Amino acid sequence: MNFALLRQEGIKYIERLAGQLWTDYNTHDPGITILEQLCYAITDLSYRLDFEIKDLLAPSSGENRKQFFTAREILTVNPLTINDYRKLLIDIDGVKNAWLEPIKNRQLPIYYDLILHTLSFKASDFTEEINLNGLYRVMVEKEKDISDEASLLEKIKTKLNQHRNLCEDFALIEILSIEEITIKADIEVDEGFDINELMAKIYFGLDNFISPNLQFFTLKELLDRGKTPEEIFEGFPLEHGFLDDEQLESFTKKDELHTSDLIRIILDITGTKTVRNITLASDKSSELEEWALALDRNLTPQLKDIDSLVNNITFYKGQIPCNLNLAKAKTHLELLQRQNTKSISTTQIKDIPIPQGQYRELSDYESIQNDFPANYGIGELGLPASASPLRKAQAKQLQAYLMFFDRLLANYFAQLEHAKDLFSFQDKNKITYFSQDISQIPGAVEILKIDNNSSAVQWNDIDLERKNRFLNHLIAQYCEKFTDYSLLLYNSILEEKLINHKVNFLQNYPQISAGRGKAFNYTDSTQVWDTDNVSGLKKRICSLIGIPYKRQTLALSDESTKTEGFHIVEHILLRPYSSQNSEDNPNFLNFGQHISEFQSSTISNKIVTCVSQEHGLFENEHIQIFDTDNYNGIYFVTNVQQNTFDIEIETGFVKSEEGQWVQVDRPLDPYSFQLSFVFPDWQFQNENFRKLIYKIISAEMPAHITPYFHWLDKSKMQYFERYYTHWLNTIVDKNATPENLKSTSNNLIKALEIASVDIREFNVLGYMTIGTDFVVS
């Protein structure tokens, strides 16, 4: 931006290039005049480059451009922790407090039969109890003024299922009943204090201790406290403000009330002198407690209203009891409640706004010809009509020489104007080099023979390569990459497709990132197929491999109407809901895989070939054979074929009936933290692409979840999708009976061969279950 320095450096270049041929460097020299005009244009460009970044990226008037995600969009996540879900619940109008706790089973115990290798509802000497993981009990304390509990419960269920995590479920949601607490106390007060006001303050303090109200904060309050945006926006975005984690953790569910805590609250109120005696009681027990009152975990404690409590609390001044005026005490209490009830508006500022820049018209370019002295005859005024043809030709020659610099500078300004487009992901425009029209520059139409009907600038391979690099830069800001996918699809045709996928990925990134562990909402009955109501994991995986994530029918598609995709099934949603009508046959899930025949081997008499259709075993796997006459025991499998495998026995081949086999040391629980991926095998024939799918899924899968892979042909996919559709329609039906759920779940379990065959395509280190040790499988 230093004009003098630019001029000096320009003259140095002229001196070095011209040598003794050019000795006149004074200002009247035309060459120096041209140099000065170019230096001025460069300072103008540098001046614009020096604008603040918010100005360089500012949209023009009337242009709607979203250049950045806000803190509320990009820093928040779908609820993940227990505290996240408590905040989600407390944010619901009518909910005062809430708690979540893991439970083993919702309604009935489940047992694994060690002899029959089945899951059963019936316990015996040969069964082992199976505890499901990922199920939660939700307990809610409602506000005092809420009378319609059914409506509130429906709102809670809807909200929870909209934000359910993958492989988890809310098995029990309940609004806790009230356990009324009664306090009897004799309190001595100082002279000069209003007894009615003291009663209101004491009641208010005790009520907030027994059943506390959580305080919502505004964004400004937390920023003023020194909280960083990363801390403030951690967790799920709430509608009523922000909840402090430390405050939330202090509001745990109480097991008992101690009189010492109540005495401390009373004595902290100015005007109280001493508590002579105090006792606690509950409407669930007639016993008066002097030290501690045990609370029912399935109820929520609440102090009796002031009307009932006023007769239990006696105030003394010295030895003289004081008479309370209930009406005045209630007036003081109502005033206290109004002062301490913070009404948070849903329209409050809950986000940090993106800085708004000033649009600077960066591409506005004035030709350097117009800055030349008028006697040059090249500006807008031109030459007089009396000028000779030679003089006109000389002026036109100078214009043609300067037009090279005009084009270069005009395009520089255009490139600066479109810098915001280079770093934008709001459209799929592939152009990365920008220019602007110079037909208005003096002499341009005649000299350049500009065709005003020429087509617009088209992108080329260099633009594709550059656009990909710009998008890689934007994606890298979120610690993401498309490297593997890029290598697989690297050519100019597919690179354009890759750009579109990257743009879609960035546009949907808040949902793909924040909701990566989110499950689909199985209570949403609006649409089962052709819907975006799928898990966040599926959205993320599909975005990374460039296929649509909508739940669509795959089996009926052909090459002309090719529908790419896959299905994800959460095993926890297939768990048994009821043991009704199972007394005659309590076994509801068989782990065994059928062996239809035992054949002698031509290799050796001690090698026996087992016929088992599509068994899914691998070489040297460890299995247990049972339910046979001669082959019950544990074996290593060898010579594995699609429908047969060999075992080695001590006694040699013996004719035997049918049997079953199970894998040894496999997880006995087929439901907890397990997913089935169902792929159409005719769509993913490329072996490298399959490897890419495995790699992406293993990288994106939550560490505590075990994936299983099913590659189905069209006939098997039709069979699966028929039962999958039936199950989806049943699970969203609020009127579905436990028997209907049981039937449709069992059909889907059969279609996926859950529990009977371990269909994993890559080695899994292990999975972690809540409340247990880390299990390596």
Side-chain angles (χ1 to χ4, degrees), residues 402-420:
L402 294 175
M403 207 158 289
F404 167 78
F405 299 99
D406 270 328
R407 164 61 75 188
L408 197 65
L409 289 166
N411 288 351
Y412 280 163
F413 284 90
Q415 194 73 10
L416 183 59
E417 168 73 26
H418 289 280
K420 53 180 170 285

Side-chain angles (χ1 to χ4, degrees), residues 621-638:
E621 274 201 275
H622 213 193
I623 66 167
Q624 179 181 355
I625 295 179
F626 64 101
D627 203 21
T628 70
D629 296 332
N630 303 293
Y631 295 110
N632 289 353
I634 295 176
Y635 302 89
F636 284 102
V637 299
T638 58

Side-chain angles (χ1 to χ4, degrees), residues 652-668:
F653 174 73
V654 180
K655 185 73 175 177
S656 182
E657 301 296 329
E658 300 175 350
Q660 299 186 73
W661 65 265
V662 294
Q663 290 175 320
V664 175
D665 299 328
R666 59 159 293 128
L668 303 182

Side-chain angles (χ1 to χ4, degrees), residues 154 157-158 523-525 729-737:
E154 190 61 32
K157 288 180 179 178
T158 300
T523 63
D524 182 4
S525 59
N729 286 321
T730 304
I731 200 170
V732 301
D733 185 2
K734 295 179 181 179
N735 299 318
T737 65

Side-chain angles (χ1 to χ4, degrees), residues 91-129:
D91 195 42
I92 298 173
D93 290 329
V95 174
K96 185 175 184 180
N97 208 336
W99 302 269
L100 275 79
E101 60 182 27
I103 57 176
K104 295 178 180 179
N105 291 301
R106 166 64 182 95
Q107 294 173 325
L108 65 161
I110 300 173
Y111 303 94
Y112 179 76
D113 192 310
L114 302 171
I115 303 298
L116 300 176
H117 297 282
T118 60
L119 286 185
S120 174
F121 295 119
K122 186 176 181 180
S124 70
D125 294 337
F126 304 102
T127 59
E128 176 183 336
E129 186 171 359

Side-chain angles (χ1 to χ4, degrees), residues 514-736:
R516 65 176 65 192
K518 183 179 175 183
F520 86 103
N521 181 7
Y522 68 80
T523 63
D524 182 4
S525 59
T526 54
Q527 199 172 6
V528 170
W529 289 101
D530 297 322
T531 176
D532 290 337
N533 180 19
V534 297
S535 68
L537 178 65
K538 183 178 181 181
K539 290 181 180 180
R540 186 172 174 82
I541 293 171
C542 289
S543 298
L544 288 170
I545 61 178
I547 62 176
Y549 55 72
K550 276 190 173 183
R551 187 187 297 120
Q552 302 180 76
T553 302
L554 305 176
L556 300 180
S557 63
D558 52 33
E559 288 302 319
S560 61
T561 59
K562 186 176 181 182
T563 303
E564 294 180 309
F566 58 89
H567 300 296
I568 295 181
V569 179
E570 300 171 64
H571 293 196
I572 194 66
L573 299 181
L574 304 178
R575 68 188 185 276
Y577 287 87
S578 173
S579 61
Q580 293 178 357
N581 303 323
S582 60
E583 290 78 7
D584 297 333
N585 183 18
N587 303 320
F588 62 87
L589 185 59
N590 185 7
F591 281 76
Q593 177 81 345
H594 186 59
I595 299 175
S596 59
E597 186 182 355
F598 294 90
Q599 300 174 348
S600 62
S601 173
T602 58
I603 301 174
S604 167
N605 187 46
K606 292 189 175 183
I607 301 295
V608 176
T609 298
C610 305
V611 180
S612 179
Q613 294 294 317
E614 296 185 358
H615 48 72
L617 290 169
F618 295 95
E619 201 74 20
N620 294 321
E621 274 201 275
H622 213 193
I623 66 167
Q624 179 181 355
I625 295 179
F626 64 101
D627 203 21
T628 70
D629 296 332
N630 303 293
Y631 295 110
N632 289 353
I634 295 176
Y635 302 89
F636 284 102
V637 299
T638 58
N639 189 28
V640 175
Q641 306 298 322
Q642 183 178 2
N643 297 317
T644 64
F645 59 87
D646 290 350
I647 59 172
E648 184 176 353
I649 61 173
E650 294 292 331
T651 58
F653 174 73
V654 180
K655 185 73 175 177
S656 182
E657 301 296 329
E658 300 175 350
Q660 299 186 73
W661 65 265
V662 294
Q663 290 175 320
V664 175
D665 299 328
R666 59 159 293 128
L668 303 182
D669 174 6
Y671 302 111
S672 301
F673 299 120
Q674 295 173 54
L675 283 178
S676 278
F677 288 83
V678 183
F679 288 92
D681 66 353
W682 67 91
Q683 288 185 4
F684 301 95
Q685 297 292 329
N686 187 311
E687 188 62 30
N688 288 332
F689 198 73
R690 284 198 181 192
K691 289 179 180 178
L692 174 65
I693 289 173
Y694 293 145
K695 183 175 181 181
I696 288 177
I697 290 177
S698 63
E700 301 299 333
M701 177 68 61
H704 62 289
I705 295 177
T706 302
Y708 297 87
F709 293 83
H710 308 261
W711 296 92
L712 306 183
D713 59 26
K714 282 198 174 182
S715 62
K716 286 190 174 181
M717 183 62 79
Q718 288 176 349
Y719 176 77
F720 163 76
E721 288 187 336
R722 180 167 67 252
Y723 288 118
Y724 187 40
T725 305
H726 190 197
W727 176 78
L728 285 170
N729 286 321
T730 304
I731 200 170
V732 301
D733 185 2
K734 295 179 181 179
N735 299 318

